[in-house]
Amino acid sequence: RWPVPYRRFDYRPKTDPYCQARYTFCPTGSAIPVMKEEDVIEVYRLQAPVWEFKYGDLLGHLKIMHDAVGFKSSLTGKNYTMEWYELFQLGNCTFPHLRPGMDAPFWCNQGAACFYEGIDDAHWKANGTLVLVTTISGTMFNEMAKWVKYDNETGIYYETWTVQASPDKKSTVWFDSYECSKFILRTYQKLADLGAVFKKIQTNYTSIILFSGEPVYLGNETSIFGPQGNKTLAAAIRDFYNPFKPHHSVREFFVDLFKIIDHVILNHQFYLFYNLEYWLLPMKSPYLKIIYEEVPLPVGSKASFGV
């Protein structure tokens, strides 16, 4: 039963005009090129602190890192970067808007792959990582490109939180996150399954973990907020999300921060929205932790050569 599997969808819905990004998603993005079969392509692991372009190494000290993958074609000499991130920034993927006249919380949440020509060496090297992890053929790259299209069209919602029972490494995972590092891990695994042999180097990734007892299923938007919904529960969910709104003053921020502490730590409650459904997490100490742990590079099964 656990962890709850991440739900895939048949198509990506159109985004609502209400959802606006502070920074444009994938501004220089391009289609993934078709490589010549005989090409030899270097694959690079790329990692840098989140929002490094704005805050430098600040979030690197907290080990909050963003991951990407780079490619270099031997035949053309061209470099490419591929990454997966939020269309409307992290806050919108993690918490909803409470809009006037709408009972249900409104989510601006989508994530997607971005592919573009070039690798910004300075960005990845300055405070992070740019290291060769394997080489692949043009044929393998083209197969990976087909898989990226499938993965991108069906895995559309960003999930910030990993939720597990305790900090123990063998503890039950209730929900797994679905964010930039998970896309890179899936890409590496696909390349391994296609026959790529990875170097033996240490690779670490950031996870933001909530700690909770067994989650309680509450229902979906219709069953909670619809005409026949549970008005008490609907009000409790709105009340929980309200303090996470953007703040216009320091005083407002601290008032809401105390409300969050009251909900999560004193009352041991967190409402999670996952797979378009609501769950109540009975929170427990240490409540939240940011970890930077090793996930080994994959070993291929070579069992499959398709999407």
Side-chain angles (χ1 to χ4, degrees):
R1 185 188 172 191
W2 305 106
V4 171
Y6 177 84
R7 180 179 166 193
R8 289 190 173 269
F9 293 82
D10 294 333
Y11 65 94
R12 182 179 290 274
K14 284 188 176 179
T15 57
D16 192 292
Y18 178 85
C19 299
Q20 296 293 323
R22 181 172 292 182
Y23 303 105
T24 305
F25 173 79
C26 203
T28 59
S30 60
I32 303 180
V34 176
M35 299 293 193
K36 290 190 175 176
E37 292 181 7
E38 68 272 20
D39 202 348
V40 176
I41 296 157
E42 295 176 337
V43 182
Y44 291 88
R45 176 174 185 251
L46 308 177
Q47 189 177 66
V50 167
W51 298 321
E52 192 260 358
F53 67 94
K54 188 173 183 183
Y55 300 116
D57 193 29
L58 178 65
L59 292 169
H61 292 297
L62 300 173
K63 295 298 182 189
I64 302 177
M65 309 295 278
H66 174 68
D67 297 274
V69 59
F71 302 97
K72 182 177 181 182
S73 161
S74 298
L75 285 181
T76 67
K78 287 184 176 180
N79 295 326
Y80 302 93
T81 301
M82 185 169 73
E83 52 190 326
W84 196 94
Y85 60 99
E86 327 88 52
L87 268 63
F88 309 109
Q89 275 76 67
L90 184 59
N92 281 322
C93 291
T94 310
F95 299 107
H97 295 259
L98 301 178
R99 295 175 66 179
M102 292 178 69
D103 281 342
F106 183 83
W107 292 85
C108 290
N109 178 7
Q110 280 194 38
C114 174
F115 187 95
Y116 52 94
E117 189 172 333
I119 295 175
D120 184 351
D121 286 34
H123 169 71
W124 301 107
K125 280 182 180 173
N127 299 307
T129 301
L130 193 162
V131 62
L132 179 70
V133 290
T134 189
T135 54
I136 59 174
S137 67
T139 302
M140 289 156 69
F141 180 92
N142 295 336
E143 288 295 322
M144 178 208 72
K146 291 181 199 171
W147 169 83
V148 169
K149 184 173 186 293
Y150 155 78
D151 187 77
N152 204 41
E153 287 174 352
T154 61
I156 54 181
Y157 292 112
Y158 191 101
E159 300 290 355
T160 303
W161 312 108
T162 295
V163 185
Q164 61 186 56
S166 78
D168 180 14
K169 281 198 170 182
K170 293 182 179 175
S171 78
T172 303
V173 175
W174 309 118
F175 300 93
D176 213 347
S177 59
Y178 195 87
E179 26 73 2
C180 67
S181 69
K182 293 296 196 298
F183 173 75
I184 301 306
L185 289 167
R186 289 196 304 279
T187 302
Y188 288 161
Q189 186 60 58
K190 183 64 187 177
L191 291 175
D193 291 344
L194 291 169
V197 178
F198 284 86
K199 293 177 177 289
K200 288 180 170 52
I201 55 173
Q202 184 167 332
T203 52
N204 288 57
Y205 300 89
T206 302
S207 290
I208 304 176
I209 302 177
L210 299 176
F211 297 102
S212 159
E214 183 163 349
V216 179
Y217 176 72
L218 300 175
N220 59 25
E221 185 177 300
T222 305
S223 69
I224 298 170
F225 298 95
Q228 309 301 316
N230 183 330
K231 289 189 165 32
T232 305
L233 177 58
I237 292 173
R238 279 197 303 270
D239 188 46
F240 170 77
Y241 284 128
N242 186 56
F244 293 98
K245 63 185 181 293
H247 297 95
H248 301 293
S249 72
V250 174
R251 180 185 175 280
E252 198 180 71
F253 168 77
F254 279 107
V255 167
D256 281 343
L257 179 62
F258 284 117
K259 288 180 186 173
I260 293 166
I261 291 169
D262 184 59
H263 271 299
V264 177
I265 296 175
L266 301 181
N267 290 324
H268 305 282
Q269 289 186 332
F270 190 103
Y271 288 99
L272 178 74
F273 189 59
Y274 192 92
N275 286 347
L276 305 183
E277 296 174 319
Y278 287 92
W279 298 76
L280 175 64
L281 305 182
M283 298 295 286
K284 59 186 189 182
S285 180
Y287 304 102
L288 181 147
K289 196 173 183 182
I290 297 167
I291 64 166
Y292 186 66
E293 67 176 358
E294 182 179 8
V295 180
L297 287 162
V299 176
S301 65
K302 296 191 183 178
S304 65
F305 195 78
V307 174

